[in-house]
Amino acid sequence: MARSESRPLVTLRSTAGTGQTYVTRKSRRNSPDRLVLRKYDPAAGEHVLFREER
């Protein structure tokens, strides 16, 4: 199955400054703005905001 341009891979980087990243896919049609998710940062030891980087 071909990769879709409407659901690209995005990298989420921790706002805690630890350098932790997650990789996920997102829908460009439903969320055209930068993605912000609250996920666990093992280096910080707590849940923090992860923002999409381009």
Side-chain angles (χ1 to χ4, degrees):
M1 187 176 242
R3 300 282 179 183
S4 173
E5 287 297 320
S6 63
R7 294 193 62 85
L9 279 175
V10 294
T11 303
L12 303 174
R13 184 164 308 270
S14 174
T15 58
T18 59
Q20 180 70 23
T21 61
Y22 281 96
V23 178
T24 188
R25 293 185 179 276
K26 79 166 194 177
S27 171
R28 284 193 179 163
R29 187 179 351 159
N30 295 336
S31 53
D33 299 328
R34 289 192 187 189
L35 195 59
V36 178
L37 296 175
R38 189 168 181 265
K39 298 183 73 67
Y40 184 75
D41 186 342
E46 60 185 4
H47 284 81
V48 297
L49 290 177
F50 279 75
R51 294 189 190 277
E52 175 184 345
E53 58 176 29
R54 294 187 181 175

